[in-house]
Each structure stands twice: as structure tokens, then as C-alpha cells.
Amino acid sequence: MDADSVVRYFRGKNILITGSTGFLGKVLVEKILRVQPAVKKLFLLVRATDDGSAKRRIQTVVTGREILKVLKEKHEKAERRTMKELGLKRAKQFGWPNTYVFTKAMGEMILGHLRGDLPVVIVRPSIITSLLKEPLPGWMEGIRTIDSVIIGYAKQALKFFLVDPNTIMDVIPGDMVVNAMMVAMAAHSEEQAQTIYHVTSSLRNPASYTILQETGHHYFVDNLPRGKNGEPIRLSKMRFFSTVAWLRAYMVIKYKLPLEMLHLVNIVLCGVFSRLYDELSRKYILAVKLIELYAPYTLFKGCFDNMNLERLRMATEQNNDGEHYFDFDPKTIDWDDYFYRVHIPGVLKSLA
């Protein structure tokens, strides 16, 4: 009898285990669950005064022991992976590219259905970037889509990127988003209605990816990045691909074909390059996943209607010289100056 036959035997079986709180009993429980997760039920016979104390004893003496930690971690990882896959499948079923935007849409729908008489203001910012003015110009947390281009170029680690340089990237500084939120809250606090604001720049002051490309190149020419040894990094232009098809073709020729050749060589040499092949394969798979993740955003050619925000801005009388000033007009932004003097230094500082 081979090992597969033994594993198949336990599939769908009900197994009664006596002495499960003992050393060998725990080993048996763990082994069955590990090799055959499709076992129907395990009945563990334990001494206890009632059902509650029996369950607590199982949790303390059996399932809470170190021997079952590996099994728990394995199943938790599998469960998380399954949930991600199911979530992505459901999101795409309803026309959303990923669970991030899908759950945001669900949140808005729940607010709309359950708000009752409460005033609701929904603020939809585009890509949020570092602070423009206050309190700390350039301050940010986390890496956004466009920041991957900046960091990749600075380190010369990113040779290509999926984006049409002529596409509007639609970014908005974080302090402007907060200013718009606060003004909108105050303006609608007495209304029993739902109002939606697009805090964006694509209509009032559009900035293309070309601006980011040229400003980034200018910045790093003036401020040469340095490697770990302190030597200046030689800059080379990043290659942009405006369609997924072109990028995939490039990756097949540049990376996939050499990877398959390495695979054949590895077989001939009895696995000498197994570790290298596995590492490069993981990187290639990750790159493909990143293409799928970024494509809906970097290739998006639409603009968001921000007329509600414009009406709010025009209705809000402000004195620029006052102590408190709530600026959320993207028309006031000089994108070249913002990226060169504020955002790019802010991105680099956040990595330091």
C-alpha cells in the first residue's frame, strides 16, 4: 500500500480518538489533519464534567499546543489566499478591477441605504500625494502608484513601467483633500441629504505623466542618487509601455524566454540552478501580477467631474491672509515646482 492510498483512506471518515490529550494522541490528531484536511470529523474522547469544560480542555491541552501551530499557520495562509481569490472574483464579477475599489463602492452603497435622515458627505479623492503646504510640505506615508516610478528611477531598479506618458495622472495633495473634507462637512451639516465631491485635478489643472517623467529626470540630474558604496548612480531613461499587450510581449522576450532556457539547463544539470530559477520565477510572476494591479489606474483615460467641488469652492469666501485657510483649488498648483521641490524630496525622505 502506497502513501496516497493511506491518505485517501481518511478522506470523508469519522475517526474516534481516545487519549487525544496525551503525547501520542496529539501527534495523531495533527498528522491526520495535516495530510487529509478532508477528513469528515475527529471525535476526541476527554474527561470533563460537562460540554463547556470539555471544549476548554481540548482548546488548552490539544489544539493550543505547539505541535498544532504549524498546521494552524498553514490553514490560515490557505484561508487568506482563498478569501483574496474569492474577493477578487466577486469584485470582477461586478465590474471592479480589485477588492480595494469594490469595498469602497460597497461602503458608499451601505451609507446611501442606511443613512436615514443623517447628512452624508462622500469625498472621492483621486491619487493622493504628499502635502503641498501645511503643516509639513512633502510629508507623506505609504507609497502610491506614481511613487513607484520615482523610487524605481532613483535606484535604477525599475527599467520599465506600464503607463501612457500622455495620460492624465490625476493627483491631489493630501492637505487639499483634508481642506475640502472639512469645508464640505461644515457646509452640509444641517442638510438631510447625501452629497458627493470629487476632489481631483484632471479637469481644473490636468497633469500628465510626462510632467512627472521630465521633472523627475531634472531632479535626479541635479541631485544624483548614490548607491550603498556612496558612488553616484548612473542614470538611464525608464522605458514606458502604453498598452498591456506591448509590455507582456517585451517581458516574454526579455525575461520569460531566458527563464525557460535556464529551466532546461537546470534539468540537464540535475537541479544545480533550482534556487536561482525559483527566485527568478517568483519575481516574474510578481511582475505579471503588478501589471494586472496597476493597469486599471495607469492606463485610465477618463476625467472626474468636479463641478460640485467647484461650486463649494466658489461659495466659500476665504481670506488668504487669515490664520486658518482651507485651500482645495488644484488650479493654484504649479505641478513642475510641486514635484521638483516638494513631492520627490518628500518621497525620498519617507524612505530614509
Side-chain angles (χ1 to χ4, degrees):
M1 180 180 292
D2 58 17
D4 290 339
S5 300
V6 176
V7 172
R8 282 195 301 270
Y9 168 78
F10 286 93
R11 184 180 183 84
K13 294 292 193 303
N14 291 313
I15 309 294
L16 172 64
I17 300 178
T18 62
S20 60
T21 58
F23 168 73
L24 205 59
K26 296 185 188 73
V27 177
L28 177 60
V29 169
E30 192 278 336
K31 181 75 173 185
I32 293 174
L33 292 175
R34 177 158 45 88
V35 302
Q36 185 49 275
V39 63
K40 189 173 183 180
K41 282 186 179 180
L42 294 183
F43 293 91
L44 309 184
L45 190 62
V46 298
R47 289 191 300 271
T49 56
D50 53 36
D51 288 347
S53 59
K55 289 179 181 178
R56 286 192 295 273
R57 191 169 185 219
I58 289 293
Q59 291 170 353
T60 303
V61 182
V62 182
T63 58
R65 294 296 186 178
E66 184 180 9
I67 189 172
L68 286 167
K69 283 185 178 179
V70 175
L71 183 63
K72 284 182 181 178
E73 290 172 358
K74 177 183 175 182
H75 281 281
E76 285 173 0
K77 288 179 181 178
E79 185 178 359
R80 286 195 296 268
R81 184 170 59 250
T82 302
M83 292 300 291
K84 285 181 181 179
E85 291 172 354
L86 289 174
L88 183 58
K89 183 179 180 182
R90 177 60 62 88
K92 290 185 175 180
Q93 180 182 345
F94 288 98
W96 299 97
N98 53 55
T99 54
Y100 176 74
V101 289
F102 179 46
T103 51
K104 281 183 175 291
M106 290 175 64
E108 288 191 11
M109 287 186 282
I110 291 173
L111 283 175
H113 286 300
L114 303 180
R115 69 179 183 84
D117 295 331
L118 288 174
V120 171
V121 175
I122 294 175
V123 174
R124 297 172 178 167
S126 52
I127 300 174
I128 303 174
T129 53
S130 62
L131 304 187
L132 173 65
K133 294 179 181 178
E134 56 177 6
L136 297 172
W139 188 84
M140 64 178 298
E141 282 186 340
I143 301 301
R144 305 295 186 268
T145 305
I146 62 168
D147 301 333
S148 301
V149 180
I150 296 170
I151 296 167
Y153 188 75
K155 296 181 177 180
Q156 289 293 289
L158 190 61
K159 303 297 183 183
F160 56 85
F161 198 74
L162 177 65
V163 68
D164 182 347
N166 298 316
T167 300
I168 304 301
M169 54 184 165
D170 207 331
V171 295
I172 193 80
D175 48 340
M176 282 197 168
V177 178
V178 168
N179 290 339
M181 289 170 63
M182 294 178 69
V183 173
M185 290 167 65
H188 298 282
S189 60
E190 303 299 325
E191 298 177 5
Q192 294 181 349
Q194 176 176 297
T195 310
I196 298 175
Y197 289 103
H198 289 156
V199 185
T200 59
S201 62
S202 54
L203 283 182
R204 187 157 172 79
N205 189 12
S208 68
Y209 281 97
T210 300
I211 291 177
L212 178 63
Q213 179 188 22
E214 293 176 351
T215 306
H217 180 71
H218 181 199
Y219 178 86
F220 289 114
V221 167
D222 293 345
N223 304 271
L224 281 175
R226 297 182 179 275
K228 293 180 180 180
N229 58 0
E231 294 294 322
I233 297 176
R234 185 179 179 183
L235 298 175
S236 60
K237 281 195 173 183
M238 184 182 296
R239 188 169 185 175
F240 287 157
F241 291 87
S242 57
T243 67
V244 174
W246 275 111
L247 178 53
R248 282 179 175 165
Y250 172 81
M251 288 189 64
V252 167
I253 296 171
K254 184 76 175 180
Y255 300 104
K256 186 64 175 177
L257 289 179
L259 192 60
E260 291 304 316
M261 292 176 63
L262 176 63
H263 180 53
L264 293 174
V265 172
N266 186 50
I267 293 174
V268 172
L269 298 180
C270 302
V272 173
F273 297 109
S274 292
R275 183 175 296 180
L276 176 62
Y277 174 76
D278 291 341
E279 181 183 352
L280 294 177
S281 293
R282 283 194 298 270
K283 288 182 177 180
Y284 182 83
I285 293 171
L286 176 61
V288 172
K289 288 182 178 179
L290 288 175
I291 290 172
E292 296 175 357
L293 177 66
Y294 283 137
Y297 305 102
T298 57
L299 299 180
F300 181 73
K301 296 184 182 298
C303 291
F304 294 96
D305 183 356
N306 66 342
M307 289 308 299
N308 278 355
L309 190 71
E310 270 300 285
R311 283 191 283 267
L312 179 68
R313 185 185 64 80
M314 290 186 288
T316 305
E317 295 183 2
Q318 299 190 62
N319 181 2
N320 292 12
D321 299 326
E323 181 181 357
H324 303 296
Y325 179 53
F326 296 89
D327 178 25
F328 51 88
D329 183 8
K331 193 72 174 177
T332 62
I333 303 173
D334 180 334
W335 289 117
D336 291 298
D337 183 74
Y338 168 69
F339 283 117
Y340 186 93
R341 300 185 185 278
V342 180
H343 185 68
I344 294 176
V347 171
L348 300 177
K349 185 177 179 180
S350 70
L351 296 176

